[in-house]
Amino acid sequence: AGPGLRGTPGGAVPVLRDAFRRWLFHLDGDWAQAFRAAKLEAARAEFGADFRILLADARRLVAGLMPCDDRQSIQDFVPVLCELMSEYSPGQLDERGLAEALANMVERRCDVFSQAQVKEVVATFEHSVDQAILDQHLDDRDSDPDPLFDPGPDEEDAAEDEDAQDLWRAPRAARGGGGGGPRRQS
């Protein structure tokens, strides 16, 4: 398995290295179209696409790209990345982590992607996260109140506070002092 080496002159090391990279990262042939077809095939699966696998595969492709790769293939790949970013489930933390890793990698690969392409992929990822936060907020509002919201003391808490204040006042009253806090002696 791997790229064929027979009949290759010894001075063709860069050519061999490039052929090996393309083979290793599945960047040979019309790789962008092949990835799109794999994504569409995965969507037709009985339980839908496994976005963990698709996002990891896309990240592997991005990692293998080099500035010398076909610009048209990269241009064709960007909409597929955006589709992935808009179709995965951001509520699934493992999928969101993989999508974030992919967006970060695209952002770091300014040698391969244009600034406009990076912005498009990152903006699509950020929109998916924003939408998930909004959806979660709406779901939470329908089910449980905000877990960080403190409605104030209830009757039991108020009774405990009064008992604590009585304990504080008792020693002060025995010494002839009034209520309130400790007094300084001069």
Side-chain angles (χ1 to χ4, degrees):
L5 301 176
R6 295 188 188 156
T8 306
V13 172
V15 173
L16 287 173
R17 187 179 309 129
D18 189 57
F20 179 72
R21 175 187 63 84
R22 289 176 184 277
W23 171 79
L24 182 65
F25 290 100
H26 303 284
L27 295 169
D28 42 2
D30 194 1
W31 58 270
Q33 191 59 33
F35 185 73
R36 179 184 295 278
K39 180 187 158 301
L40 293 172
E41 181 68 28
R44 287 191 291 268
E46 183 177 352
F47 296 108
D50 186 346
F51 283 97
R52 293 173 304 158
I53 293 171
L54 290 171
L55 290 164
D57 288 349
R59 186 169 182 237
R60 183 176 174 91
L61 288 170
V62 170
L65 289 172
M66 295 294 289
C68 61
D69 286 327
D70 180 43
R71 290 282 159 209
Q72 186 58 48
S73 293
I74 294 170
Q75 182 65 35
D76 295 343
F77 185 51
V78 170
V80 180
L81 290 176
C82 291
E83 289 171 14
L84 280 175
M85 294 296 185
S86 64
E87 293 173 357
Y88 83 99
S89 178
Q92 298 293 323
L93 297 180
D94 51 351
E95 288 183 16
R96 184 171 36 185
L98 288 166
E100 182 175 13
L102 175 59
N104 288 338
M105 182 172 281
V106 169
E107 202 169 23
R108 287 191 309 266
R109 296 302 313 269
C110 58
D111 59 330
V112 173
F113 297 100
S114 70
Q115 189 174 18
Q117 291 169 331
V118 169
K119 279 184 177 182
E120 185 178 0
V121 172
V122 171
T124 306
F125 166 71
E126 289 174 350
H127 177 72
S128 73
V129 173
D130 291 345
Q131 190 62 43
I133 291 170
L134 290 173
D135 290 345
Q136 181 182 12
H137 179 67
L138 291 175
D139 290 344
D140 289 347
R141 194 174 73 197
D142 293 339
S143 60
D144 292 329
D146 184 359
L148 301 177
F149 176 69
D150 184 12
D154 58 6
E155 291 179 19
E156 185 178 316
D157 290 341
E160 288 176 14
D161 288 345
E162 287 179 22
D163 290 343
Q165 289 176 359
D166 288 343
L167 289 174
W168 179 254
R169 288 186 196 127
R172 304 250 322 126
R175 290 191 315 222
R183 267 174 67 197
R184 286 193 171 166
Q185 296 181 3
S186 20

